[in-house]
Every structure is written in C-alpha cells, then in structure tokens.
Amino acid sequence: MKLFAPLKLRDITLRNRIAVSPMCQYSCVDGRVDDWHLVHLGSRAVGGAGLVIAEASAVSAEGRISPADAGIYRDQHTAAWAPVTAFIRKAGAVPAIQLAHAGRKASTAAPWLGGKPIGVEAGGWSPLLGPSAIAFNELSQTPQAMSPADIQQLIGDFRAAAVRALDAGFELVELHAAHGYLLHAFLSPLSNQRSDDYGGSFDNRTRLLREVVAAVRAVWPERLPLLLRISATDWADEQGGWDIAQSVALARQLKGLGVDLIDVSSAGTLARGAIPIGPGFQVPFAAQIRREAGIATGAVGLITEPAQAQRIIESGDADLVLLARELLRDPYWPYHAAKALGAEITAPVQYQRAW
Ligand code: 536
C-alpha cells in the first residue's frame, strides 16, 4: 500500500492517503465559518490532499474552545458550511468535519491573544462542563460535574450536529475524543472521578463515548464513514492516566459500533507533562492500535517528509497520514511529495500547464 493509493471507507474513496488534519482557525463570529475557511480549506483541497477535515466544530456554544471557534450548533451554521464542502468536493477531495465539545477546556482566548482561559468579562462563558468538578489548570474555571440531563443533552447535541453536517454536504465525520476535551475527559481517570455509571471502571468511563458514537452512527448514513480521534495516552502512566492499553481496548469496542478509522493523537489531559515530542512520535500508537484492535488508523503528529509519510503507509503502521502544520507551510505538499516519491498524480485541469 502506498501513499498515493486510494483509500476506500464505506462508499467513499479518498484519492490518496493524505489528510488535512483538523486545525482551529479561531476566525469565526458566533460559530459561523466564512470566506477564510473557504479559501483555507479550499486551497488544501486544490493542493492535492485526499481528505480535508475542517477544524474542531462545536456541537454547542458552550463547547467551543474559544469565542472564535467554528460551530455546527445552529441551523444557520449549515448554510455557512455548504459552500466550503461544495468547493472541497469540486477540487476532488472529500469534505469532512470534526465534531467537538471542549468541556473543561472551553472558554479560552485564541493563541495569538494569549490562549489563556477567559471569563465572562473577557467574552468567555460560564459554567464549563466536565465529568467532575476538577479544573484543567490553576487558571481554568472549575467545571460543573455533568448531571444525567446534561449528558442526555450532550448526546443529542452530537446527534443534531451530525444531521447538520450531512445537510451541509460533509461526506465524513470525525468525533473529537482527544486532547483533554469533553469526551477524552470522561475517558481519563485523571479528569473523571464520577461514582455513577459514567465513571470508575473502564466500561463506565468509556460509556459516554459509546453512547455518542451510537447516536451519531444512527443518523449518519451507512454509506458514509465515521472517524474517531483519540489521545492514545495521557503520558501519565505513573499517575494512572489514560494509556495505550485502554486505547486498544476502546478501539476494539468502537469497531463494533461502526467507527471506521481511529485517528491517533496523544496528550491534552495534563497541562504539563513530559512528552517525547519528535518526528512521528505518535505513529507507534497508531501502529499498535491497528495491529492489536484490527481497525484502520490514521497517524498524526510531526509528519513532514514525503519519505516518512510513505514509510508509515507502506509499513502498515497506519492507513492514512494526517498533516497539519506542514500543510500550513505548503498547501501543495501532496504534489511536492508525489514528485519526490515518483508518483503520478493529476493536477486540477486549470493548473495542468504547470505540471
Ligand atoms: C494541540 N492543539 C489541539 C487543538 C487546539 C489547540 C492545540 C484541538 O484539538 N482543537 C494539542 C494537542 C494535544 C494537547 C494539547 C494541545
């Protein structure tokens, strides 16, 4: 299997194994995407990626990471996304969206405004929701431990967001259960100290995610793929954090619930941690989940070189590579990678004189 071989997920075929990883743009007003997102995502579809995953998009207003986050929690958001998905498809890529709820990590400033937690006086909001009343860090608001009614509301919000995503023209949905956001916060014993059916045992901590997956799968058409992003580890094994063994067990369960591919990231529960960041540092987790759970995986994290990406796919470590910052530097990375690897790919007809 090669980087430029198509990948079929249900009835959707990606033209290659290169995906634009979801990247927050912090550029919306009231959750509405605009021409920035059209040009940003459209450029990367024109640039040759097979899959373009739009940024973490909140399923409710309080689930946004920042006031400028993208949303899919109002019907007017559907109309804002529609030209974006139409253009991505026209450029030959598959339009996808990441559905998210930030949980206790909501209500922060955009990175270029400091990225710190903000209160109501600075345009943020309160209360934040979490599995337990444990703040992310010393600057964060302490979240409210979610009630059973809050949990039902959340499941309904994910379901309604998936329906809007379909109406907006997305052909693939990814659920965000990584980086310390709400669904991940339920998984990790460090953030989930509930004593009801949603906390304690592995089965209880994974229950909310299973219920969200089932609710989304019930409205998301059979013919369309569902992806899940997880943090394979909290990098806190000594403190009893979420770890790779639990991720493998979770992947086995979710495969049976209709998840087609696990997008394997890491970290986000702890504000500080010793993370051995380096080229492809999360790839071994994608490889282990693929091997031990028998499910397709995506590898993400410091993938920058064509030969590196090719090796990840060829060795069977993952089925898909997701690139983020490298695609900000070079939207045409897929073309440059094809040239470097000697693969044939077709440019948009409008650009063929240049190739
Ligand atoms: C990277 N980030 C991920 C974001 C937005 C902020 C930066 C996201 O998933 N929406 C990150 C990864 C892991 C831990 C912390 C930050």
Side-chain angles (χ1 to χ4, degrees):
M1 220 56 88
K2 296 251 169 70
L3 187 60
F4 290 93
L7 176 65
K8 188 160 189 275
L9 297 167
R10 297 194 184 232
D11 287 357
I12 297 297
T13 301
L14 313 183
R15 59 184 165 183
N16 58 46
R17 308 308 184 93
I18 302 164
V20 181
S21 196
M23 284 179 276
C24 291
Q25 299 295 297
Y26 308 97
S27 298
C28 295
V29 175
D30 290 331
R32 227 175 311 108
V33 293
D34 63 17
D35 49 4
W36 175 263
H37 305 83
L38 175 66
V39 174
H40 161 65
L41 297 169
S43 300
R44 280 143 193 89
V46 171
L51 178 65
V52 177
I53 312 182
E55 67 195 83
S57 299
V59 300
S60 61
E62 91 279 350
R64 291 171 299 167
I65 300 166
S66 81
D69 272 34
I72 184 128
Y73 51 85
R74 285 197 196 127
D75 291 339
Q76 66 174 112
H77 295 150
T78 309
W81 280 113
V84 178
T85 65
F87 185 86
I88 292 170
R89 217 171 317 107
K90 189 167 160 183
V94 171
I97 186 168
Q98 188 187 52
L99 305 182
H101 191 299
R104 66 178 188 159
K105 292 176 82 171
S107 191
T108 63
W112 52 84
L113 300 173
K116 299 232 161 55
I118 51 173
V120 176
E121 71 296 338
W125 53 91
S126 188
L128 307 186
L129 296 178
S132 303
I134 305 168
F136 171 61
N137 67 23
E138 54 286 352
L139 296 174
S140 308
Q141 298 176 44
T142 299
Q144 229 165 51
M146 288 170 74
S147 69
D150 292 334
I151 287 175
Q152 288 313 308
Q153 173 77 40
L154 180 84
I155 295 168
D157 287 345
F158 268 98
R159 184 194 298 115
V163 171
R164 286 188 199 99
L166 184 67
D167 289 345
F170 288 106
E171 295 180 312
L172 183 151
V173 152
E174 174 171 281
L175 302 178
H176 198 343
H179 301 166
Y181 300 120
L182 188 59
L183 296 174
H184 179 196
F186 270 79
L187 297 178
S188 175
L190 301 178
S191 40
N192 180 350
Q193 296 180 1
R194 298 175 74 94
S195 50
D196 66 358
D197 288 351
Y198 292 91
S201 66
F202 171 83
D203 257 6
N204 281 356
R205 283 180 282 112
T206 55
R207 185 179 312 279
L208 176 62
L209 181 53
R210 282 198 306 278
E211 291 178 351
V212 168
V213 166
V216 167
R217 196 67 262 188
V219 296
W220 190 244
E222 278 286 320
R223 67 189 166 83
L224 299 180
L226 175 63
L227 273 55
L228 176 72
R229 174 166 281 190
I230 62 167
S231 284
T233 176
D234 286 334
W235 298 105
D237 288 5
E238 295 79 55
Q239 292 120 284
W242 180 259
D243 59 18
I244 179 64
Q246 294 176 77
S247 291
V248 170
L250 177 70
R252 286 201 187 106
Q253 281 191 345
L254 295 181
K255 190 173 128 182
L257 290 178
V259 169
D260 300 299
L261 181 147
I262 309 277
D263 170 5
V264 185
S265 190
S266 77
T269 295
L270 297 182
R272 281 176 217 84
I275 304 177
I277 291 173
F281 72 114
Q282 297 170 146
V283 175
F285 298 127
Q288 188 176 343
I289 290 170
R290 189 173 188 270
R291 198 168 58 236
E292 295 181 9
I295 189 168
T297 60
V300 64
L302 286 175
I303 300 171
T304 58
E305 298 300 323
Q308 175 196 18
Q310 171 84 327
R311 205 160 48 239
I312 291 167
I313 303 298
E314 258 190 328
S315 65
D317 283 351
D319 302 273
L320 188 69
V321 289
L322 296 100
L323 280 68
R325 288 169 288 177
E326 189 59 20
L327 281 168
L328 295 185
R329 296 176 196 113
D330 179 11
Y332 296 100
W333 190 90
Y335 288 105
H336 295 144
K339 194 169 174 197
L341 297 169
E344 287 274 328
I345 64 171
T346 33
V349 285
Q350 297 91 334
Y351 287 8
Q352 274 174 0
R353 277 164 45 114
W355 263 277

